[in-house]
Amino acid sequence: MALNMRSTHGSSRSVAGRSSCSPRVVPFSRPGRLSATRVLADAAAPVAEPVKLGTEKTGPAFKALKDINQIMQTLPHRYPFLLVDRVVEWEREKYAVGYKCVTVNDNFFPGHFPERPIMPGVLQVEAMAQLAGLCMLDPEDKAAKGLFFFGGIENCRFRKPVVPGDMLMMRAEITKYNKRFGVVKVAATGYVGTELVVEAELTLAMAK
């Protein structure tokens, strides 16, 4: 009887010590949850630095919605008075966004001013008016002949000089359009970079 008990005790000690044929216990982990070891390993892994572009590759590259040829098909203006180089956003009779690249070769700089070239404020307003005209004119409407006229300029402010090398980015937004009389109200703004340089409320009279 004693031998049997010792044998039983021996068997229980063998179970307590885990025999080679006993199943291995695997730690439980919830699906979708990373272990602490994995997280630490990922944190210690080197992070690749973003490739830095050369300055020559960081300039503005706006896709033309209307290029200079399409602009000339719509506006009657020509050198030296065509003051919109490209239209990048446009919705008929709603709004337009476009720009003029200002260069020292512009014909007004020799006289304004010889010692300090500055784009005349009236030409900044003219450029915004031309952009507004692009917003309103239909190149297929031959009867209108692409003509419009200034009806008024209100609340005009020049915030900062525009000089050679600047890109004058403009937005013309139609705020009111009286189709019966062909009168258009426009909120116009001009920027160099993020700085507002000119703003005005324009009135245009569309030719009939």
Short mmCIF file of all heavy atoms in Angstrom, two decimals, residues 123-168:
data_model
loop_
_atom_site.label_atom_id
_atom_site.label_comp_id
_atom_site.label_asym_id
_atom_site.label_seq_id
_atom_site.Cartn_x
_atom_site.Cartn_y
_atom_site.Cartn_z
N LEU A 123 -2.57 99.39 -63.30
CA LEU A 123 -2.40 98.20 -64.14
C LEU A 123 -2.69 96.93 -63.35
O LEU A 123 -3.12 95.92 -63.93
CB LEU A 123 -0.99 98.17 -64.74
CG LEU A 123 -0.68 99.28 -65.74
CD1 LEU A 123 0.69 99.07 -66.37
CD2 LEU A 123 -1.75 99.37 -66.82
N GLN A 124 -2.47 96.96 -62.06
CA GLN A 124 -2.88 95.82 -61.23
C GLN A 124 -4.40 95.67 -61.27
O GLN A 124 -4.93 94.56 -61.41
CB GLN A 124 -2.40 96.02 -59.79
CG GLN A 124 -0.89 96.04 -59.63
CD GLN A 124 -0.47 96.36 -58.21
OE1 GLN A 124 -1.10 95.90 -57.25
NE2 GLN A 124 0.57 97.16 -58.06
N VAL A 125 -5.10 96.81 -61.18
CA VAL A 125 -6.55 96.79 -61.26
C VAL A 125 -7.00 96.35 -62.65
O VAL A 125 -7.94 95.56 -62.81
CB VAL A 125 -7.14 98.18 -60.91
CG1 VAL A 125 -8.64 98.19 -61.11
CG2 VAL A 125 -6.79 98.55 -59.47
N GLU A 126 -6.32 96.83 -63.68
CA GLU A 126 -6.63 96.42 -65.05
C GLU A 126 -6.46 94.91 -65.23
O GLU A 126 -7.29 94.26 -65.88
CB GLU A 126 -5.74 97.18 -66.04
CG GLU A 126 -5.81 96.70 -67.47
CD GLU A 126 -7.17 96.93 -68.12
OE1 GLU A 126 -7.90 97.84 -67.68
OE2 GLU A 126 -7.48 96.20 -69.08
N ALA A 127 -5.40 94.36 -64.66
CA ALA A 127 -5.17 92.91 -64.76
C ALA A 127 -6.31 92.14 -64.11
O ALA A 127 -6.79 91.13 -64.65
CB ALA A 127 -3.84 92.55 -64.10
N MET A 128 -6.78 92.60 -62.96
CA MET A 128 -7.90 91.93 -62.29
C MET A 128 -9.18 92.06 -63.09
O MET A 128 -10.00 91.14 -63.16
CB MET A 128 -8.08 92.48 -60.87
CG MET A 128 -6.90 92.20 -59.95
SD MET A 128 -7.19 92.60 -58.20
CE MET A 128 -7.49 94.37 -58.28
N ALA A 129 -9.36 93.22 -63.75
CA ALA A 129 -10.54 93.41 -64.59
C ALA A 129 -10.50 92.48 -65.80
O ALA A 129 -11.53 91.93 -66.21
CB ALA A 129 -10.62 94.87 -65.04
N GLN A 130 -9.32 92.29 -66.38
CA GLN A 130 -9.20 91.36 -67.51
C GLN A 130 -9.53 89.93 -67.08
O GLN A 130 -10.18 89.18 -67.81
CB GLN A 130 -7.79 91.43 -68.10
CG GLN A 130 -7.52 92.75 -68.81
CD GLN A 130 -6.13 92.80 -69.44
OE1 GLN A 130 -5.48 91.77 -69.63
NE2 GLN A 130 -5.69 94.00 -69.78
N LEU A 131 -9.11 89.56 -65.88
CA LEU A 131 -9.44 88.23 -65.36
C LEU A 131 -10.95 88.10 -65.18
O LEU A 131 -11.53 87.05 -65.51
CB LEU A 131 -8.72 87.99 -64.04
CG LEU A 131 -8.93 86.62 -63.39
CD1 LEU A 131 -8.36 85.51 -64.27
CD2 LEU A 131 -8.29 86.58 -62.01
N ALA A 132 -11.58 89.16 -64.69
CA ALA A 132 -13.04 89.14 -64.54
C ALA A 132 -13.70 89.01 -65.90
O ALA A 132 -14.72 88.32 -66.06
CB ALA A 132 -13.51 90.41 -63.83
N GLY A 133 -13.15 89.70 -66.91
CA GLY A 133 -13.68 89.58 -68.26
C GLY A 133 -13.59 88.16 -68.79
O GLY A 133 -14.52 87.66 -69.43
N LEU A 134 -12.50 87.49 -68.49
CA LEU A 134 -12.35 86.08 -68.89
C LEU A 134 -13.42 85.21 -68.23
O LEU A 134 -13.86 84.21 -68.80
CB LEU A 134 -10.96 85.57 -68.52
CG LEU A 134 -9.82 86.03 -69.42
CD1 LEU A 134 -8.47 85.78 -68.76
CD2 LEU A 134 -9.89 85.32 -70.77
N CYS A 135 -13.80 85.61 -67.03
CA CYS A 135 -14.83 84.87 -66.31
C CYS A 135 -16.19 85.03 -66.98
O CYS A 135 -17.02 84.11 -66.97
CB CYS A 135 -14.89 85.36 -64.86
SG CYS A 135 -15.95 84.40 -63.79
N MET A 136 -16.41 86.18 -67.61
CA MET A 136 -17.73 86.49 -68.17
C MET A 136 -17.84 86.20 -69.66
O MET A 136 -18.91 85.84 -70.15
CB MET A 136 -18.05 87.97 -67.94
CG MET A 136 -18.16 88.38 -66.48
SD MET A 136 -19.45 87.45 -65.61
CE MET A 136 -20.90 87.88 -66.57
N LEU A 137 -16.76 86.36 -70.40
CA LEU A 137 -16.84 86.29 -71.86
C LEU A 137 -16.88 84.86 -72.37
O LEU A 137 -16.23 83.96 -71.82
CB LEU A 137 -15.65 87.02 -72.48
CG LEU A 137 -15.62 88.54 -72.29
CD1 LEU A 137 -14.31 89.11 -72.81
CD2 LEU A 137 -16.80 89.19 -72.99
N ASP A 138 -17.61 84.69 -73.43
CA ASP A 138 -17.69 83.40 -74.12
C ASP A 138 -16.99 83.56 -75.47
O ASP A 138 -17.44 84.35 -76.32
CB ASP A 138 -19.15 83.00 -74.33
CG ASP A 138 -19.29 81.65 -75.03
OD1 ASP A 138 -18.26 81.05 -75.36
OD2 ASP A 138 -20.45 81.23 -75.24
N PRO A 139 -15.88 82.85 -75.70
CA PRO A 139 -15.16 83.03 -76.97
C PRO A 139 -15.99 82.65 -78.19
O PRO A 139 -15.68 83.05 -79.31
CB PRO A 139 -13.94 82.11 -76.81
CG PRO A 139 -14.31 81.14 -75.75
CD PRO A 139 -15.24 81.87 -74.84
N GLU A 140 -17.06 81.87 -77.99
CA GLU A 140 -17.91 81.47 -79.10
C GLU A 140 -18.95 82.53 -79.44
O GLU A 140 -19.62 82.45 -80.47
CB GLU A 140 -18.63 80.15 -78.75
CG GLU A 140 -17.68 79.00 -78.42
CD GLU A 140 -16.75 78.68 -79.58
OE1 GLU A 140 -17.19 78.77 -80.74
OE2 GLU A 140 -15.58 78.35 -79.33
N ASP A 141 -19.11 83.53 -78.55
CA ASP A 141 -20.11 84.58 -78.78
C ASP A 141 -19.46 85.67 -79.63
O ASP A 141 -18.87 86.62 -79.12
CB ASP A 141 -20.60 85.14 -77.44
CG ASP A 141 -21.73 86.15 -77.61
OD1 ASP A 141 -22.13 86.40 -78.76
OD2 ASP A 141 -22.21 86.67 -76.59
N LYS A 142 -19.59 85.55 -80.94
CA LYS A 142 -18.95 86.50 -81.85
C LYS A 142 -19.64 87.87 -81.83
O LYS A 142 -19.02 88.89 -82.11
CB LYS A 142 -18.97 85.94 -83.28
CG LYS A 142 -18.31 84.57 -83.42
CD LYS A 142 -16.86 84.58 -82.96
CE LYS A 142 -16.23 83.20 -83.14
NZ LYS A 142 -14.83 83.15 -82.63
N ALA A 143 -20.93 87.89 -81.48
CA ALA A 143 -21.68 89.15 -81.49
C ALA A 143 -21.13 90.13 -80.45
O ALA A 143 -21.08 91.34 -80.68
CB ALA A 143 -23.16 88.88 -81.23
N ALA A 144 -20.72 89.62 -79.29
CA ALA A 144 -20.20 90.50 -78.23
C ALA A 144 -18.81 91.03 -78.55
O ALA A 144 -18.37 92.03 -78.00
CB ALA A 144 -20.18 89.75 -76.90
N LYS A 145 -18.11 90.35 -79.44
CA LYS A 145 -16.77 90.74 -79.88
C LYS A 145 -15.78 90.81 -78.73
O LYS A 145 -14.77 91.51 -78.79
CB LYS A 145 -16.81 92.09 -80.61
CG LYS A 145 -17.69 92.07 -81.86
CD LYS A 145 -17.69 93.43 -82.54
CE LYS A 145 -18.57 93.41 -83.79
NZ LYS A 145 -18.62 94.72 -84.48
N GLY A 146 -16.07 90.11 -77.64
CA GLY A 146 -15.14 90.04 -76.52
C GLY A 146 -14.88 91.36 -75.85
O GLY A 146 -13.80 91.57 -75.29
N LEU A 147 -15.85 92.25 -75.86
CA LEU A 147 -15.62 93.59 -75.29
C LEU A 147 -16.36 93.77 -73.98
O LEU A 147 -17.46 93.27 -73.79
CB LEU A 147 -16.07 94.66 -76.28
CG LEU A 147 -15.26 94.79 -77.57
CD1 LEU A 147 -15.88 95.84 -78.47
CD2 LEU A 147 -13.81 95.13 -77.28
N PHE A 148 -15.71 94.49 -73.08
CA PHE A 148 -16.34 94.94 -71.84
C PHE A 148 -15.64 96.22 -71.41
O PHE A 148 -14.51 96.50 -71.83
CB PHE A 148 -16.25 93.87 -70.74
CG PHE A 148 -14.85 93.48 -70.38
CD1 PHE A 148 -14.18 94.07 -69.31
CD2 PHE A 148 -14.17 92.51 -71.10
CE1 PHE A 148 -12.89 93.73 -68.97
CE2 PHE A 148 -12.87 92.14 -70.77
CZ PHE A 148 -12.23 92.75 -69.71
N PHE A 149 -16.30 96.98 -70.56
CA PHE A 149 -15.78 98.29 -70.18
C PHE A 149 -15.88 98.47 -68.67
O PHE A 149 -16.73 97.86 -68.01
CB PHE A 149 -16.57 99.40 -70.87
CG PHE A 149 -16.69 99.22 -72.36
CD1 PHE A 149 -17.83 98.64 -72.91
CD2 PHE A 149 -15.67 99.59 -73.20
CE1 PHE A 149 -17.95 98.46 -74.28
CE2 PHE A 149 -15.77 99.41 -74.57
CZ PHE A 149 -16.91 98.84 -75.12
N PHE A 150 -14.98 99.33 -68.15
CA PHE A 150 -15.06 99.67 -66.74
C PHE A 150 -16.31 100.51 -66.49
O PHE A 150 -16.58 101.48 -67.20
CB PHE A 150 -13.84 100.48 -66.31
CG PHE A 150 -12.80 99.65 -65.60
CD1 PHE A 150 -11.48 99.68 -66.00
CD2 PHE A 150 -13.14 98.86 -64.51
CE1 PHE A 150 -10.52 98.94 -65.35
CE2 PHE A 150 -12.19 98.11 -63.85
CZ PHE A 150 -10.88 98.15 -64.27
N GLY A 151 -17.06 100.15 -65.46
CA GLY A 151 -18.19 100.96 -65.04
C GLY A 151 -17.92 101.65 -63.71
O GLY A 151 -18.60 102.62 -63.36
N GLY A 152 -16.91 101.15 -62.98
CA GLY A 152 -16.59 101.77 -61.70
C GLY A 152 -15.56 100.96 -60.92
O GLY A 152 -15.38 99.77 -61.15
N ILE A 153 -14.88 101.66 -60.03
CA ILE A 153 -13.89 101.04 -59.13
C ILE A 153 -14.16 101.59 -57.74
O ILE A 153 -14.15 102.82 -57.53
CB ILE A 153 -12.45 101.36 -59.54
CG1 ILE A 153 -12.19 100.93 -60.99
CG2 ILE A 153 -11.46 100.68 -58.60
CD1 ILE A 153 -10.86 101.41 -61.54
N GLU A 154 -14.40 100.73 -56.78
CA GLU A 154 -14.70 101.15 -55.42
C GLU A 154 -13.82 100.41 -54.42
O GLU A 154 -13.39 99.28 -54.67
CB GLU A 154 -16.17 100.90 -55.09
CG GLU A 154 -17.15 101.64 -55.99
CD GLU A 154 -18.59 101.28 -55.69
OE1 GLU A 154 -19.18 101.93 -54.80
OE2 GLU A 154 -19.11 100.35 -56.33
N ASN A 155 -13.61 101.07 -53.28
CA ASN A 155 -12.88 100.46 -52.16
C ASN A 155 -11.57 99.82 -52.60
O ASN A 155 -11.21 98.71 -52.19
CB ASN A 155 -13.75 99.42 -51.45
CG ASN A 155 -15.02 100.02 -50.89
OD1 ASN A 155 -15.02 101.12 -50.35
ND2 ASN A 155 -16.13 99.30 -51.04
N CYS A 156 -10.84 100.54 -53.43
CA CYS A 156 -9.56 100.02 -53.93
C CYS A 156 -8.45 100.33 -52.93
O CYS A 156 -8.34 101.45 -52.43
CB CYS A 156 -9.24 100.66 -55.29
SG CYS A 156 -7.75 100.01 -56.05
N ARG A 157 -7.65 99.31 -52.64
CA ARG A 157 -6.53 99.47 -51.71
C ARG A 157 -5.30 98.77 -52.28
O ARG A 157 -5.38 97.64 -52.77
CB ARG A 157 -6.87 98.86 -50.34
CG ARG A 157 -8.03 99.53 -49.62
CD ARG A 157 -7.65 100.91 -49.10
NE ARG A 157 -8.73 101.49 -48.31
CZ ARG A 157 -9.76 102.17 -48.82
NH1 ARG A 157 -9.85 102.34 -50.13
NH2 ARG A 157 -10.69 102.67 -48.04
N PHE A 158 -4.16 99.48 -52.19
CA PHE A 158 -2.88 98.89 -52.58
C PHE A 158 -2.09 98.66 -51.31
O PHE A 158 -1.73 99.60 -50.61
CB PHE A 158 -2.14 99.82 -53.55
CG PHE A 158 -2.92 100.11 -54.81
CD1 PHE A 158 -3.55 101.34 -54.97
CD2 PHE A 158 -3.02 99.16 -55.80
CE1 PHE A 158 -4.27 101.61 -56.12
CE2 PHE A 158 -3.76 99.42 -56.95
CZ PHE A 158 -4.38 100.65 -57.12
N ARG A 159 -1.84 97.38 -51.00
CA ARG A 159 -1.24 97.02 -49.71
C ARG A 159 0.28 96.95 -49.73
O ARG A 159 0.93 97.18 -48.72
CB ARG A 159 -1.79 95.66 -49.27
CG ARG A 159 -3.32 95.57 -49.23
CD ARG A 159 -3.89 96.40 -48.11
NE ARG A 159 -5.35 96.23 -48.01
CZ ARG A 159 -6.10 96.85 -47.13
NH1 ARG A 159 -5.55 97.68 -46.26
NH2 ARG A 159 -7.42 96.66 -47.10
N LYS A 160 0.83 96.61 -50.90
CA LYS A 160 2.28 96.40 -50.97
C LYS A 160 2.72 96.54 -52.43
O LYS A 160 1.99 96.14 -53.34
CB LYS A 160 2.63 95.00 -50.45
CG LYS A 160 4.11 94.70 -50.36
CD LYS A 160 4.35 93.31 -49.80
CE LYS A 160 5.85 93.00 -49.76
NZ LYS A 160 6.11 91.63 -49.26
N PRO A 161 3.91 97.11 -52.68
CA PRO A 161 4.38 97.24 -54.07
C PRO A 161 4.55 95.87 -54.75
O PRO A 161 4.94 94.89 -54.12
CB PRO A 161 5.73 97.96 -53.93
CG PRO A 161 5.68 98.63 -52.60
CD PRO A 161 4.84 97.75 -51.73
N VAL A 162 4.25 95.85 -56.04
CA VAL A 162 4.49 94.67 -56.87
C VAL A 162 5.68 95.00 -57.76
O VAL A 162 5.65 96.01 -58.49
CB VAL A 162 3.24 94.31 -57.71
CG1 VAL A 162 3.53 93.12 -58.62
CG2 VAL A 162 2.06 94.00 -56.80
N VAL A 163 6.71 94.17 -57.72
CA VAL A 163 7.97 94.51 -58.38
C VAL A 163 8.39 93.37 -59.33
O VAL A 163 7.82 92.27 -59.29
CB VAL A 163 9.07 94.74 -57.32
CG1 VAL A 163 8.70 95.89 -56.39
CG2 VAL A 163 9.31 93.47 -56.49
N PRO A 164 9.37 93.65 -60.20
CA PRO A 164 9.85 92.61 -61.11
C PRO A 164 10.26 91.34 -60.35
O PRO A 164 10.91 91.42 -59.30
CB PRO A 164 11.05 93.25 -61.80
CG PRO A 164 10.75 94.72 -61.76
CD PRO A 164 10.05 94.94 -60.45
N GLY A 165 9.86 90.19 -60.89
CA GLY A 165 10.13 88.91 -60.24
C GLY A 165 8.96 88.37 -59.47
O GLY A 165 8.93 87.19 -59.12
N ASP A 166 7.97 89.24 -59.19
CA ASP A 166 6.77 88.79 -58.47
C ASP A 166 5.81 88.05 -59.42
O ASP A 166 5.79 88.30 -60.63
CB ASP A 166 6.03 89.98 -57.85
CG ASP A 166 6.72 90.53 -56.62
OD1 ASP A 166 7.58 89.83 -56.06
OD2 ASP A 166 6.40 91.68 -56.23
N MET A 167 5.03 87.16 -58.84
CA MET A 167 3.90 86.56 -59.55
C MET A 167 2.64 87.13 -58.91
O MET A 167 2.35 86.86 -57.75
CB MET A 167 3.91 85.04 -59.45
CG MET A 167 2.68 84.39 -60.10
SD MET A 167 2.61 82.59 -59.84
CE MET A 167 3.83 82.06 -61.03
N LEU A 168 1.92 87.93 -59.67
CA LEU A 168 0.69 88.53 -59.16
C LEU A 168 -0.45 87.54 -59.38
O LEU A 168 -0.94 87.38 -60.50
CB LEU A 168 0.40 89.85 -59.88
CG LEU A 168 -0.87 90.59 -59.46
CD1 LEU A 168 -0.83 90.95 -57.97
CD2 LEU A 168 -1.09 91.83 -60.31
#
